[in-house]
Amino acid sequence: MNSISFSILTNNVYFKMKRMEKFYNEIYLKLETEIQELEIETDFPIKRIEAVIQLIIQSLADLKEFVLKNDFKNMEEEIHFFKYQKPVIVSKLIYYNSIYKIETRRPYGNKRTKKYFTKELKKLKRFFENNLDFYKYYRSNNSFVDEKFFVRGKHDIRLWLDTFYFEADHRFSTSHDYKVAKIIANDLIQVYLEDRLNNVNEKKGSDNALKWTASKTALTELIYALYAHGVFNNGNTDIKLIAKAFEDAFNIELGDFYHTFMELKARKINRTKFLDNLCEALIKKMDEQDEK
């Protein structure tokens, strides 16, 4: 092969590698943006999680289609994809699916809820203990076994294989890319569970205390509407005090509610979505009462 042919081949491989990187970044950015939009627009947490899961599934399907059509140009690119890129998106699927199960199965009552969250944390600990060697390998950023862990068709049954791998599509899976995703997801699930557990421990009052179960965005919309109408102290109350009162009353942390309000203002349509839904629900209830 002459120097010109080698140069053309090298440039072609480089271009295709960059194309893979570009496509992944586009998929990831689009997914992140759509998830953020759902956080603002969807009022009910469970419905939001369901919608997010569908987005992630579609993103993975698009990514799989691209990989199967284009493949990798060398082993380094393949390892990078299955060790660092695909697991990030898969971890989101594991995380949201886990949160969905946790919240839909969560019992009522402080004591039972506390016991439930503690049990879920123990599951994460067991996974860590059962995969300690791989945790050490991955967390230490080692690479000496990457060819067996993150290249398709190179699995070694002696190296901490999950049963899941034997059922997966080996065209789009390696022996350990899912385990990396699980590690990333478990870190997020642990933070979520510990935060929920802290809320239970700090919660005042009885098990019958009211809990806000719509979105934080919806509550922010309501608070600002009441503030704008001046219903507290003849309109002489700071918005921060109103927000704090609602946080205490409904056992919720609104975070940067001003930023949420600015996002509500930026909506192109239906800026008072939650309030409009409240009106519709009340009128429907009145109509139902009239029909009786």
Side-chain angles (χ1 to χ4, degrees):
M1 181 183 297
N2 60 42
S3 60
I4 295 177
S5 299
F6 179 78
S7 177
I8 292 173
L9 178 61
T10 303
N11 290 336
N12 189 43
V13 170
Y14 176 76
F15 171 76
K16 290 182 177 180
M17 288 175 67
K18 294 297 289 184
R19 187 172 63 171
M20 178 74 76
E21 186 80 17
K22 182 175 182 291
F23 184 80
Y24 172 82
N25 290 337
E26 288 174 352
I27 286 285
Y28 181 76
L29 180 60
K30 181 173 180 285
L31 178 61
E32 286 285 282
T33 302
E34 290 175 336
I35 290 175
Q36 289 174 12
E37 289 175 353
L38 279 174
E39 292 286 340
I40 299 171
E41 296 296 335
T42 308
D43 291 331
F44 300 100
I46 297 300
K47 291 292 184 182
R48 181 172 67 244
I49 295 173
E50 290 174 350
V52 168
I53 288 173
Q54 291 303 316
L55 287 176
I56 299 169
I57 290 173
Q58 185 58 56
S59 295
L60 284 169
D62 293 341
L63 195 59
K64 178 179 180 179
E65 181 181 4
F66 185 86
V67 167
L68 295 186
K69 283 183 178 180
N70 296 275
D71 209 354
F72 304 102
K73 302 311 154 191
N74 54 45
M75 187 181 296
E76 288 72 23
E77 185 187 38
E78 183 171 0
I79 289 173
H80 181 73
F81 177 80
F82 286 111
K83 187 176 183 179
Y84 298 109
Q85 294 181 322
K86 182 191 170 189
V88 171
I89 297 180
V90 175
S91 71
K92 292 181 181 294
L93 181 59
I94 298 171
Y95 171 75
Y96 282 103
N97 190 45
S98 297
I99 298 309
Y100 183 83
K101 290 179 181 178
I102 288 169
E103 290 301 329
T104 53
R105 296 172 181 173
R106 177 171 58 87
Y108 290 103
N110 278 2
K111 290 183 179 179
R112 285 187 294 171
T113 299
K114 183 177 180 180
K115 183 178 180 181
Y116 174 72
F117 287 145
T118 302
K119 184 179 179 181
E120 292 298 316
L121 282 169
K122 287 181 179 178
K123 290 181 183 178
L124 301 181
K125 185 179 179 182
R126 283 198 298 272
F127 178 85
F128 170 77
E129 291 172 346
N130 292 336
N131 295 277
L132 184 57
D133 288 337
F134 185 70
Y135 259 93
K136 291 178 179 178
Y137 177 87
Y138 177 72
R139 293 294 193 202
S140 301
N141 202 29
N142 284 315
S143 59
F144 58 90
V145 200
D146 277 2
E147 186 175 339
K148 291 185 177 180
F149 285 160
F150 304 111
V151 175
R152 293 165 297 175
K154 297 284 188 178
H155 69 273
D156 187 335
I157 199 168
R158 297 168 297 180
L159 296 175
W160 322 307
L161 283 185
D162 292 326
T163 304
F164 167 83
Y165 172 68
F166 298 104
E167 301 172 356
D169 185 345
H170 291 185
R171 298 174 303 163
F172 192 61
S173 300
T174 69
S175 63
H176 283 71
D177 68 271
Y178 184 83
K179 199 182 289 287
V180 171
K182 185 79 171 172
I183 289 174
I184 298 170
N186 281 3
D187 287 345
L188 298 173
I189 296 167
Q190 181 178 343
V191 171
Y192 179 87
L193 287 170
E194 288 175 347
D195 182 58
R196 300 290 277 124
L197 195 55
N198 287 336
N199 287 339
V200 172
N201 291 334
E202 294 172 1
K203 184 176 180 181
K204 298 178 181 179
S206 68
D207 288 346
N208 297 320
L210 291 175
K211 186 177 187 305
W212 184 268
T213 54
S215 70
K216 294 180 181 181
T217 301
L219 184 54
T220 301
E221 188 178 325
L222 176 61
I223 290 171
Y224 267 93
L226 296 172
Y227 171 69
H229 201 52
V231 300
F232 301 109
N233 300 333
N234 297 314
N236 297 315
T237 302
D238 189 278
I239 186 69
K240 292 181 181 179
L241 292 177
I242 300 173
K244 182 65 168 62
F246 274 84
E247 286 181 325
D248 292 342
F250 299 125
N251 188 37
I252 189 171
E253 292 183 10
L254 290 172
D256 188 356
F257 59 88
Y258 178 74
H259 178 72
T260 302
F261 177 66
M262 295 305 292
E263 290 176 332
L264 290 172
K265 283 179 60 181
R267 286 177 178 172
K268 294 182 179 179
I269 58 173
N270 204 8
R271 294 203 292 178
T272 57
K273 179 181 178 181
F274 179 66
L275 296 176
D276 294 343
N277 289 341
L278 283 182
C279 290
E280 291 176 6
L282 179 58
I283 292 171
K284 182 180 179 182
K285 188 68 176 179
M286 290 176 173
D287 292 341
E288 289 173 351
Q289 291 291 329
D290 290 340
E291 292 171 359
K292 291 182 179 180

